[in-house]
Amino acid sequence: MDLSSLIGKKQEPQPQQEQPQLSKEEYAAMKQAEREEVWSRVNAQADSVFKDDESMKGFLNFMANCTPQSTRNLLILYEQNPEITHPRTFDKWKEAGRSIRSGEKGYTFFAEQEYEKDGIKANGYTITKAYDISQTRGPQPLPPQKHLPEEIIAAMVEQSPVQLAISDQLPQGVQAQYVPKQRTIFVRNGMDETATICAIAREQAHANFDAVGSGYYRQAYAAQAYCAAYVAAQKFGLGTSVFQFDKVCHSCAQLTPEEKRGFIGDVKRAAYSINRDVQRSFRDLEQAIQPDEFSVVAPKPAKASKAKAEKEPER
């Protein structure tokens, strides 16, 4: 076989296919289709959250472990990876002094965006990519400081959005209750620490829902406050085995995806507010000047001997 026709034959370069240039209208249509596809995933995930007790707990655990996010981002991120804890865009990680590991793929993410239309500035969003902290290089972040239950209770009392009062008049089975007319949370005394924290957190959620002009009434927010107490307890590292969400899921079964997103948004805002107030109390305590358990103690001066201590007679 004559190989001369094959070996050494100049390879003709393959023509590269040019990417078609999109018109302004075509580009807008493409971005609109992208937004619709992502929002469809967000709504599907919102429906999935309310499937049963296990589904609800899984999502609320994610809300507790992830850094504060918008409702839409919580849903789209959870759909992609329930292990995400600290997502940021490439630029935000760069500003924080961290770099993305080679080969890492980002997660679909709603990034806030400011734009101007007809001379008026407004806020919107763009769909981009975010990366979890586990996908980045940089100094290992310090683990969150652990606090004792009594410290958490003290912080909740100090930074409560409304006053708290001990009451022996609460009906049987009622651990705590927010009374709107008095802007006060009445708490049963003598409960164990975890029950006390969860009860106060639930009622502080109710107090947060009782905004001026909101038309608040207790039953409209009972399920949201219960979920917010669970998220707060998870953030504080408390046991949450007593929480059950089958009743919550059943009561929300007929809600539309948009209404379910609104429910999740209520839970998120209340839980974030409770945690933010408690963390503020801890920061204030850390900034107060206190004795340090590792303080360097100055050595005591040596005592002079009795002979040297006596005044020498004059000569």
Side-chain angles (χ1 to χ4, degrees), residues 255-300:
L255 296 180
T256 66
E258 291 77 10
E259 290 170 330
K260 288 175 180 175
R261 293 206 316 267
F263 181 104
I264 292 169
D266 288 338
V267 173
K268 177 203 70 173
R269 284 189 294 273
Y272 286 177
S273 178
I274 294 166
N275 184 63
R276 185 170 56 247
D277 289 343
V278 169
Q279 297 306 323
R280 183 185 301 119
S281 179
F282 290 148
R283 285 195 299 272
D284 291 345
L285 184 62
E286 289 171 0
Q287 291 171 4
I289 299 176
Q290 300 178 9
D292 194 316
E293 62 177 312
F294 297 106
S295 298
V296 178
V297 179
K300 293 181 180 179

mmCIF file of all heavy atoms in Angstrom, residues 255-300:
data_model
loop_
_atom_site.group_PDB
_atom_site.id
_atom_site.type_symbol
_atom_site.label_atom_id
_atom_site.label_comp_id
_atom_site.label_asym_id
_atom_site.label_seq_id
_atom_site.Cartn_x
_atom_site.Cartn_y
_atom_site.Cartn_z
ATOM 1 N N LEU A 255 -51.742 25.877 48.525
ATOM 2 C CA LEU A 255 -51.168 27.172 48.154
ATOM 3 C C LEU A 255 -50.524 27.089 46.773
ATOM 4 O O LEU A 255 -50.020 26.038 46.369
ATOM 5 C CB LEU A 255 -50.109 27.594 49.180
ATOM 6 C CG LEU A 255 -50.573 27.852 50.619
ATOM 7 C CD1 LEU A 255 -49.382 28.268 51.480
ATOM 8 C CD2 LEU A 255 -51.668 28.889 50.675
ATOM 9 N N THR A 256 -50.507 28.195 46.068
ATOM 10 C CA THR A 256 -49.811 28.262 44.790
ATOM 11 C C THR A 256 -48.302 28.342 45.041
ATOM 12 O O THR A 256 -47.878 28.670 46.163
ATOM 13 C CB THR A 256 -50.242 29.500 43.992
ATOM 14 O OG1 THR A 256 -49.808 30.680 44.706
ATOM 15 C CG2 THR A 256 -51.761 29.545 43.817
ATOM 16 N N PRO A 257 -47.477 28.072 44.023
ATOM 17 C CA PRO A 257 -46.030 28.218 44.229
ATOM 18 C C PRO A 257 -45.634 29.610 44.711
ATOM 19 O O PRO A 257 -44.735 29.763 45.546
ATOM 20 C CB PRO A 257 -45.456 27.917 42.847
ATOM 21 C CG PRO A 257 -46.439 26.993 42.219
ATOM 22 C CD PRO A 257 -47.773 27.477 42.705
ATOM 23 N N GLU A 258 -46.310 30.630 44.189
ATOM 24 C CA GLU A 258 -45.997 32.000 44.615
ATOM 25 C C GLU A 258 -46.333 32.192 46.094
ATOM 26 O O GLU A 258 -45.597 32.855 46.833
ATOM 27 C CB GLU A 258 -46.773 33.011 43.765
ATOM 28 C CG GLU A 258 -46.323 33.106 42.328
ATOM 29 C CD GLU A 258 -46.824 31.944 41.462
ATOM 30 O OE1 GLU A 258 -47.693 31.158 41.940
ATOM 31 O OE2 GLU A 258 -46.339 31.814 40.322
ATOM 32 N N GLU A 259 -47.472 31.624 46.535
ATOM 33 C CA GLU A 259 -47.857 31.738 47.946
ATOM 34 C C GLU A 259 -46.906 30.946 48.838
ATOM 35 O O GLU A 259 -46.605 31.363 49.955
ATOM 36 C CB GLU A 259 -49.294 31.248 48.123
ATOM 37 C CG GLU A 259 -50.324 32.182 47.511
ATOM 38 C CD GLU A 259 -51.724 31.577 47.482
ATOM 39 O OE1 GLU A 259 -51.832 30.325 47.388
ATOM 40 O OE2 GLU A 259 -52.707 32.347 47.526
ATOM 41 N N LYS A 260 -46.431 29.822 48.333
ATOM 42 C CA LYS A 260 -45.451 29.043 49.108
ATOM 43 C C LYS A 260 -44.140 29.811 49.224
ATOM 44 O O LYS A 260 -43.478 29.771 50.277
ATOM 45 C CB LYS A 260 -45.236 27.678 48.450
ATOM 46 C CG LYS A 260 -46.437 26.742 48.618
ATOM 47 C CD LYS A 260 -46.258 25.446 47.854
ATOM 48 C CE LYS A 260 -47.475 24.542 48.050
ATOM 49 N NZ LYS A 260 -47.419 23.316 47.235
ATOM 50 N N ARG A 261 -43.749 30.506 48.170
ATOM 51 C CA ARG A 261 -42.553 31.346 48.261
ATOM 52 C C ARG A 261 -42.759 32.439 49.295
ATOM 53 O O ARG A 261 -41.838 32.793 50.043
ATOM 54 C CB ARG A 261 -42.211 31.968 46.909
ATOM 55 C CG ARG A 261 -41.768 30.992 45.842
ATOM 56 C CD ARG A 261 -40.883 31.665 44.803
ATOM 57 N NE ARG A 261 -41.365 32.950 44.357
ATOM 58 C CZ ARG A 261 -42.141 33.160 43.296
ATOM 59 N NH1 ARG A 261 -42.525 32.132 42.552
ATOM 60 N NH2 ARG A 261 -42.519 34.379 42.957
ATOM 61 N N GLY A 262 -43.960 33.002 49.340
ATOM 62 C CA GLY A 262 -44.260 34.023 50.338
ATOM 63 C C GLY A 262 -44.184 33.468 51.752
ATOM 64 O O GLY A 262 -43.665 34.133 52.662
ATOM 65 N N PHE A 263 -44.679 32.253 51.951
ATOM 66 C CA PHE A 263 -44.597 31.582 53.250
ATOM 67 C C PHE A 263 -43.133 31.414 53.655
ATOM 68 O O PHE A 263 -42.746 31.748 54.779
ATOM 69 C CB PHE A 263 -45.291 30.220 53.149
ATOM 70 C CG PHE A 263 -45.311 29.426 54.432
ATOM 71 C CD1 PHE A 263 -46.464 29.332 55.189
ATOM 72 C CD2 PHE A 263 -44.181 28.739 54.879
ATOM 73 C CE1 PHE A 263 -46.501 28.585 56.369
ATOM 74 C CE2 PHE A 263 -44.191 28.002 56.048
ATOM 75 C CZ PHE A 263 -45.357 27.920 56.798
ATOM 76 N N ILE A 264 -42.313 30.908 52.734
ATOM 77 C CA ILE A 264 -40.892 30.713 53.016
ATOM 78 C C ILE A 264 -40.217 32.048 53.310
ATOM 79 O O ILE A 264 -39.364 32.149 54.197
ATOM 80 C CB ILE A 264 -40.216 30.005 51.832
ATOM 81 C CG1 ILE A 264 -40.728 28.563 51.719
ATOM 82 C CG2 ILE A 264 -38.689 30.021 51.976
ATOM 83 C CD1 ILE A 264 -40.327 27.865 50.432
ATOM 84 N N GLY A 265 -40.603 33.086 52.579
ATOM 85 C CA GLY A 265 -40.055 34.417 52.821
ATOM 86 C C GLY A 265 -40.371 34.910 54.225
ATOM 87 O O GLY A 265 -39.519 35.521 54.888
ATOM 88 N N ASP A 266 -41.597 34.648 54.705
ATOM 89 C CA ASP A 266 -41.961 35.030 56.072
ATOM 90 C C ASP A 266 -41.099 34.292 57.093
ATOM 91 O O ASP A 266 -40.604 34.891 58.054
ATOM 92 C CB ASP A 266 -43.443 34.713 56.332
ATOM 93 C CG ASP A 266 -44.391 35.653 55.596
ATOM 94 O OD1 ASP A 266 -43.964 36.770 55.243
ATOM 95 O OD2 ASP A 266 -45.554 35.261 55.384
ATOM 96 N N VAL A 267 -40.936 32.990 56.896
ATOM 97 C CA VAL A 267 -40.117 32.187 57.805
ATOM 98 C C VAL A 267 -38.686 32.725 57.829
ATOM 99 O O VAL A 267 -38.088 32.917 58.898
ATOM 100 C CB VAL A 267 -40.110 30.702 57.371
ATOM 101 C CG1 VAL A 267 -39.106 29.900 58.218
ATOM 102 C CG2 VAL A 267 -41.509 30.103 57.490
ATOM 103 N N LYS A 268 -38.154 32.970 56.650
ATOM 104 C CA LYS A 268 -36.773 33.440 56.524
ATOM 105 C C LYS A 268 -36.571 34.762 57.247
ATOM 106 O O LYS A 268 -35.621 34.903 58.035
ATOM 107 C CB LYS A 268 -36.433 33.604 55.033
ATOM 108 C CG LYS A 268 -35.062 34.147 54.740
ATOM 109 C CD LYS A 268 -35.001 34.782 53.365
ATOM 110 C CE LYS A 268 -35.797 36.069 53.340
ATOM 111 N NZ LYS A 268 -35.631 36.818 52.074
ATOM 112 N N ARG A 269 -37.439 35.728 57.019
ATOM 113 C CA ARG A 269 -37.273 37.049 57.634
ATOM 114 C C ARG A 269 -37.333 36.964 59.156
ATOM 115 O O ARG A 269 -36.541 37.600 59.861
ATOM 116 C CB ARG A 269 -38.328 38.015 57.106
ATOM 117 C CG ARG A 269 -38.039 38.516 55.698
ATOM 118 C CD ARG A 269 -38.989 39.635 55.307
ATOM 119 N NE ARG A 269 -40.364 39.153 55.206
ATOM 120 C CZ ARG A 269 -40.890 38.621 54.107
ATOM 121 N NH1 ARG A 269 -40.148 38.490 53.023
ATOM 122 N NH2 ARG A 269 -42.145 38.208 54.081
ATOM 123 N N ALA A 270 -38.275 36.182 59.683
ATOM 124 C CA ALA A 270 -38.399 36.063 61.141
ATOM 125 C C ALA A 270 -37.185 35.354 61.739
ATOM 126 O O ALA A 270 -36.627 35.792 62.747
ATOM 127 C CB ALA A 270 -39.683 35.313 61.496
ATOM 128 N N ALA A 271 -36.763 34.257 61.120
ATOM 129 C CA ALA A 271 -35.614 33.500 61.640
ATOM 130 C C ALA A 271 -34.338 34.326 61.574
ATOM 131 O O ALA A 271 -33.536 34.325 62.518
ATOM 132 C CB ALA A 271 -35.454 32.204 60.847
ATOM 133 N N TYR A 272 -34.140 35.034 60.457
ATOM 134 C CA TYR A 272 -32.949 35.883 60.333
ATOM 135 C C TYR A 272 -32.955 36.982 61.388
ATOM 136 O O TYR A 272 -31.910 37.317 61.956
ATOM 137 C CB TYR A 272 -32.899 36.527 58.946
ATOM 138 C CG TYR A 272 -32.512 35.604 57.810
ATOM 139 C CD1 TYR A 272 -32.497 36.060 56.491
ATOM 140 C CD2 TYR A 272 -32.171 34.267 58.033
ATOM 141 C CE1 TYR A 272 -32.137 35.227 55.435
ATOM 142 C CE2 TYR A 272 -31.823 33.430 56.983
ATOM 143 C CZ TYR A 272 -31.807 33.915 55.688
ATOM 144 O OH TYR A 272 -31.459 33.095 54.645
ATOM 145 N N SER A 273 -34.127 37.556 61.659
ATOM 146 C CA SER A 273 -34.221 38.642 62.631
ATOM 147 C C SER A 273 -33.885 38.146 64.036
ATOM 148 O O SER A 273 -33.147 38.810 64.780
ATOM 149 C CB SER A 273 -35.632 39.241 62.606
ATOM 150 O OG SER A 273 -35.763 40.267 63.569
ATOM 151 N N ILE A 274 -34.412 36.973 64.399
ATOM 152 C CA ILE A 274 -34.132 36.414 65.726
ATOM 153 C C ILE A 274 -32.641 36.152 65.878
ATOM 154 O O ILE A 274 -32.021 36.534 66.884
ATOM 155 C CB ILE A 274 -34.931 35.118 65.937
ATOM 156 C CG1 ILE A 274 -36.432 35.420 65.974
ATOM 157 C CG2 ILE A 274 -34.490 34.413 67.224
ATOM 158 C CD1 ILE A 274 -37.312 34.195 65.835
ATOM 159 N N ASN A 275 -32.033 35.505 64.896
ATOM 160 C CA ASN A 275 -30.612 35.191 64.970
ATOM 161 C C ASN A 275 -29.762 36.456 64.977
ATOM 162 O O ASN A 275 -28.772 36.545 65.716
ATOM 163 C CB ASN A 275 -30.214 34.310 63.786
ATOM 164 C CG ASN A 275 -28.763 33.874 63.854
ATOM 165 O OD1 ASN A 275 -28.342 33.168 64.762
ATOM 166 N ND2 ASN A 275 -27.973 34.322 62.885
ATOM 167 N N ARG A 276 -30.148 37.448 64.174
ATOM 168 C CA ARG A 276 -29.381 38.698 64.104
ATOM 169 C C ARG A 276 -29.381 39.400 65.468
ATOM 170 O O ARG A 276 -28.344 39.902 65.913
ATOM 171 C CB ARG A 276 -29.989 39.603 63.030
ATOM 172 C CG ARG A 276 -29.206 40.884 62.791
ATOM 173 C CD ARG A 276 -29.723 41.602 61.554
ATOM 174 N NE ARG A 276 -31.139 41.884 61.620
ATOM 175 C CZ ARG A 276 -32.066 41.315 60.831
ATOM 176 N NH1 ARG A 276 -31.715 40.426 59.929
ATOM 177 N NH2 ARG A 276 -33.348 41.637 60.946
ATOM 178 N N ASP A 277 -30.527 39.411 66.147
ATOM 179 C CA ASP A 277 -30.604 40.059 67.453
ATOM 180 C C ASP A 277 -29.742 39.340 68.485
ATOM 181 O O ASP A 277 -29.045 39.977 69.290
ATOM 182 C CB ASP A 277 -32.060 40.102 67.938
ATOM 183 C CG ASP A 277 -32.905 41.091 67.142
ATOM 184 O OD1 ASP A 277 -32.321 41.960 66.464
ATOM 185 O OD2 ASP A 277 -34.149 40.987 67.192
ATOM 186 N N VAL A 278 -29.771 38.014 68.455
ATOM 187 C CA VAL A 278 -28.974 37.241 69.408
ATOM 188 C C VAL A 278 -27.485 37.446 69.150
ATOM 189 O O VAL A 278 -26.699 37.648 70.083
ATOM 190 C CB VAL A 278 -29.344 35.743 69.330
ATOM 191 C CG1 VAL A 278 -28.338 34.891 70.103
ATOM 192 C CG2 VAL A 278 -30.749 35.515 69.882
ATOM 193 N N GLN A 279 -27.087 37.411 67.880
ATOM 194 C CA GLN A 279 -25.669 37.605 67.553
ATOM 195 C C GLN A 279 -25.210 39.005 67.924
ATOM 196 O O GLN A 279 -24.053 39.200 68.327
ATOM 197 C CB GLN A 279 -25.426 37.338 66.059
ATOM 198 C CG GLN A 279 -25.723 35.916 65.626
ATOM 199 C CD GLN A 279 -24.993 34.868 66.435
ATOM 200 O OE1 GLN A 279 -23.838 35.052 66.830
ATOM 201 N NE2 GLN A 279 -25.655 33.747 66.693
ATOM 202 N N ARG A 280 -26.088 40.000 67.806
ATOM 203 C CA ARG A 280 -25.733 41.370 68.213
ATOM 204 C C ARG A 280 -25.437 41.410 69.706
ATOM 205 O O ARG A 280 -24.492 42.067 70.143
ATOM 206 C CB ARG A 280 -26.867 42.334 67.876
ATOM 207 C CG ARG A 280 -26.538 43.799 68.206
ATOM 208 C CD ARG A 280 -27.716 44.716 67.976
ATOM 209 N NE ARG A 280 -28.161 44.668 66.601
ATOM 210 C CZ ARG A 280 -29.371 44.279 66.216
ATOM 211 N NH1 ARG A 280 -30.262 43.888 67.130
ATOM 212 N NH2 ARG A 280 -29.713 44.263 64.947
ATOM 213 N N SER A 281 -26.228 40.700 70.485
ATOM 214 C CA SER A 281 -26.002 40.661 71.925
ATOM 215 C C SER A 281 -24.656 40.010 72.243
ATOM 216 O O SER A 281 -23.906 40.506 73.102
ATOM 217 C CB SER A 281 -27.125 39.878 72.616
ATOM 218 O OG SER A 281 -26.904 39.802 74.011
ATOM 219 N N PHE A 282 -24.324 38.938 71.527
ATOM 220 C CA PHE A 282 -23.031 38.280 71.747
ATOM 221 C C PHE A 282 -21.866 39.190 71.360
ATOM 222 O O PHE A 282 -20.844 39.228 72.047
ATOM 223 C CB PHE A 282 -22.957 36.980 70.960
ATOM 224 C CG PHE A 282 -23.852 35.888 71.493
ATOM 225 C CD1 PHE A 282 -24.416 34.953 70.634
ATOM 226 C CD2 PHE A 282 -24.130 35.795 72.840
ATOM 227 C CE1 PHE A 282 -25.230 33.939 71.115
ATOM 228 C CE2 PHE A 282 -24.954 34.790 73.342
ATOM 229 C CZ PHE A 282 -25.504 33.862 72.468
ATOM 230 N N ARG A 283 -22.025 39.929 70.259
ATOM 231 C CA ARG A 283 -20.952 40.845 69.833
ATOM 232 C C ARG A 283 -20.749 41.959 70.855
ATOM 233 O O ARG A 283 -19.617 42.335 71.161
ATOM 234 C CB ARG A 283 -21.273 41.443 68.463
ATOM 235 C CG ARG A 283 -21.084 40.480 67.305
ATOM 236 C CD ARG A 283 -21.062 41.229 65.992
ATOM 237 N NE ARG A 283 -22.307 41.939 65.758
ATOM 238 C CZ ARG A 283 -23.373 41.400 65.154
ATOM 239 N NH1 ARG A 283 -23.339 40.139 64.743
ATOM 240 N NH2 ARG A 283 -24.464 42.112 64.960
ATOM 241 N N ASP A 284 -21.853 42.489 71.375
ATOM 242 C CA ASP A 284 -21.748 43.541 72.389
ATOM 243 C C ASP A 284 -21.018 43.023 73.623
ATOM 244 O O ASP A 284 -20.199 43.732 74.229
ATOM 245 C CB ASP A 284 -23.138 44.041 72.787
ATOM 246 C CG ASP A 284 -23.823 44.816 71.671
ATOM 247 O OD1 ASP A 284 -23.119 45.204 70.704
ATOM 248 O OD2 ASP A 284 -25.048 45.013 71.739
ATOM 249 N N LEU A 285 -21.292 41.773 73.990
ATOM 250 C CA LEU A 285 -20.640 41.184 75.155
ATOM 251 C C LEU A 285 -19.149 40.998 74.913
ATOM 252 O O LEU A 285 -18.327 41.247 75.794
ATOM 253 C CB LEU A 285 -21.289 39.835 75.473
ATOM 254 C CG LEU A 285 -20.787 39.111 76.733
ATOM 255 C CD1 LEU A 285 -21.073 39.952 77.977
ATOM 256 C CD2 LEU A 285 -21.438 37.740 76.853
ATOM 257 N N GLU A 286 -18.792 40.572 73.687
ATOM 258 C CA GLU A 286 -17.383 40.356 73.355
ATOM 259 C C GLU A 286 -16.599 41.670 73.353
ATOM 260 O O GLU A 286 -15.406 41.691 73.665
ATOM 261 C CB GLU A 286 -17.272 39.689 71.983
ATOM 262 C CG GLU A 286 -17.728 38.236 71.982
ATOM 263 C CD GLU A 286 -17.808 37.663 70.579
ATOM 264 O OE1 GLU A 286 -17.500 38.417 69.625
ATOM 265 O OE2 GLU A 286 -18.172 36.502 70.437
ATOM 266 N N GLN A 287 -17.276 42.772 72.985
ATOM 267 C CA GLN A 287 -16.596 44.058 72.895
ATOM 268 C C GLN A 287 -16.454 44.735 74.258
ATOM 269 O O GLN A 287 -15.701 45.696 74.402
ATOM 270 C CB GLN A 287 -17.348 44.977 71.931
ATOM 271 C CG GLN A 287 -17.254 44.503 70.481
ATOM 272 C CD GLN A 287 -18.163 45.282 69.556
ATOM 273 O OE1 GLN A 287 -18.813 46.238 69.972
ATOM 274 N NE2 GLN A 287 -18.232 44.879 68.306
ATOM 275 N N ALA A 288 -17.198 44.236 75.239
ATOM 276 C CA ALA A 288 -17.079 44.811 76.583
ATOM 277 C C ALA A 288 -15.725 44.418 77.167
ATOM 278 O O ALA A 288 -15.220 43.322 76.936
ATOM 279 C CB ALA A 288 -18.205 44.296 77.474
ATOM 280 N N ILE A 289 -15.132 45.327 77.924
ATOM 281 C CA ILE A 289 -13.824 45.060 78.533
ATOM 282 C C ILE A 289 -14.024 44.151 79.735
ATOM 283 O O ILE A 289 -14.697 44.508 80.702
ATOM 284 C CB ILE A 289 -13.145 46.373 78.957
ATOM 285 C CG1 ILE A 289 -12.920 47.276 77.720
ATOM 286 C CG2 ILE A 289 -11.834 46.103 79.671
ATOM 287 C CD1 ILE A 289 -12.337 48.620 78.046
ATOM 288 N N GLN A 290 -13.446 42.952 79.627
ATOM 289 C CA GLN A 290 -13.583 41.955 80.683
ATOM 290 C C GLN A 290 -12.227 41.323 80.968
ATOM 291 O O GLN A 290 -11.346 41.305 80.097
ATOM 292 C CB GLN A 290 -14.569 40.860 80.262
ATOM 293 C CG GLN A 290 -15.968 41.369 79.974
ATOM 294 C CD GLN A 290 -16.881 40.249 79.528
ATOM 295 O OE1 GLN A 290 -16.516 39.084 79.590
ATOM 296 N NE2 GLN A 290 -18.074 40.591 79.081
ATOM 297 N N PRO A 291 -12.042 40.766 82.171
ATOM 298 C CA PRO A 291 -10.796 40.050 82.461
ATOM 299 C C PRO A 291 -10.643 38.860 81.515
ATOM 300 O O PRO A 291 -11.622 38.178 81.206
ATOM 301 C CB PRO A 291 -10.983 39.587 83.915
ATOM 302 C CG PRO A 291 -12.048 40.471 84.465
ATOM 303 C CD PRO A 291 -12.939 40.827 83.326
ATOM 304 N N ASP A 292 -9.455 38.617 81.050
ATOM 305 C CA ASP A 292 -9.175 37.505 80.145
ATOM 306 C C ASP A 292 -8.671 36.325 80.962
ATOM 307 O O ASP A 292 -7.819 36.483 81.836
ATOM 308 C CB ASP A 292 -8.115 37.933 79.121
ATOM 309 C CG ASP A 292 -8.030 36.969 77.954
ATOM 310 O OD1 ASP A 292 -8.051 35.743 78.196
ATOM 311 O OD2 ASP A 292 -7.940 37.442 76.809
ATOM 312 N N GLU A 293 -9.197 35.126 80.669
ATOM 313 C CA GLU A 293 -8.773 33.957 81.434
ATOM 314 C C GLU A 293 -7.301 33.617 81.191
ATOM 315 O O GLU A 293 -6.696 32.853 81.931
ATOM 316 C CB GLU A 293 -9.648 32.748 81.089
ATOM 317 C CG GLU A 293 -9.574 32.319 79.639
ATOM 318 C CD GLU A 293 -10.404 31.076 79.380
ATOM 319 O OE1 GLU A 293 -10.271 30.111 80.172
ATOM 320 O OE2 GLU A 293 -11.178 31.066 78.411
ATOM 321 N N PHE A 294 -6.727 34.171 80.099
ATOM 322 C CA PHE A 294 -5.322 33.924 79.799
ATOM 323 C C PHE A 294 -4.470 35.173 80.055
ATOM 324 O O PHE A 294 -3.450 35.384 79.421
ATOM 325 C CB PHE A 294 -5.150 33.459 78.357
ATOM 326 C CG PHE A 294 -5.834 32.155 78.076
ATOM 327 C CD1 PHE A 294 -7.000 32.116 77.344
ATOM 328 C CD2 PHE A 294 -5.321 30.962 78.564
ATOM 329 C CE1 PHE A 294 -7.645 30.918 77.085
ATOM 330 C CE2 PHE A 294 -5.948 29.752 78.312
ATOM 331 C CZ PHE A 294 -7.116 29.728 77.579
ATOM 332 N N SER A 295 -4.911 36.022 80.958
ATOM 333 C CA SER A 295 -4.182 37.243 81.261
ATOM 334 C C SER A 295 -2.806 36.920 81.838
ATOM 335 O O SER A 295 -2.624 35.916 82.544
ATOM 336 C CB SER A 295 -4.954 38.097 82.273
ATOM 337 O OG SER A 295 -6.193 38.494 81.731
ATOM 338 N N VAL A 296 -1.849 37.779 81.507
ATOM 339 C CA VAL A 296 -0.501 37.641 82.054
ATOM 340 C C VAL A 296 -0.473 38.330 83.414
ATOM 341 O O VAL A 296 -0.734 39.538 83.519
ATOM 342 C CB VAL A 296 0.546 38.269 81.120
ATOM 343 C CG1 VAL A 296 1.932 38.169 81.733
ATOM 344 C CG2 VAL A 296 0.499 37.585 79.757
ATOM 345 N N VAL A 297 -0.165 37.568 84.437
ATOM 346 C CA VAL A 297 -0.170 38.112 85.798
ATOM 347 C C VAL A 297 1.227 38.613 86.139
ATOM 348 O O VAL A 297 2.215 37.876 85.991
ATOM 349 C CB VAL A 297 -0.599 37.036 86.815
ATOM 350 C CG1 VAL A 297 -0.583 37.611 88.233
ATOM 351 C CG2 VAL A 297 -1.969 36.506 86.459
ATOM 352 N N ALA A 298 1.303 39.842 86.545
ATOM 353 C CA ALA A 298 2.606 40.412 86.913
ATOM 354 C C ALA A 298 3.126 39.746 88.173
ATOM 355 O O ALA A 298 2.362 39.504 89.117
ATOM 356 C CB ALA A 298 2.468 41.909 87.131
ATOM 357 N N PRO A 299 4.421 39.416 88.217
ATOM 358 C CA PRO A 299 4.980 38.769 89.418
ATOM 359 C C PRO A 299 4.942 39.718 90.609
ATOM 360 O O PRO A 299 5.124 40.928 90.467
ATOM 361 C CB PRO A 299 6.418 38.436 89.021
ATOM 362 C CG PRO A 299 6.742 39.410 87.920
ATOM 363 C CD PRO A 299 5.451 39.635 87.188
ATOM 364 N N LYS A 300 4.703 39.153 91.758
ATOM 365 C CA LYS A 300 4.669 39.968 92.967
ATOM 366 C C LYS A 300 6.104 40.320 93.366
ATOM 367 O O LYS A 300 7.004 39.477 93.244
ATOM 368 C CB LYS A 300 3.989 39.212 94.099
ATOM 369 C CG LYS A 300 2.508 38.961 93.848
ATOM 370 C CD LYS A 300 1.876 38.215 95.021
ATOM 371 C CE LYS A 300 0.398 37.979 94.768
ATOM 372 N NZ LYS A 300 -0.228 37.232 95.902
#
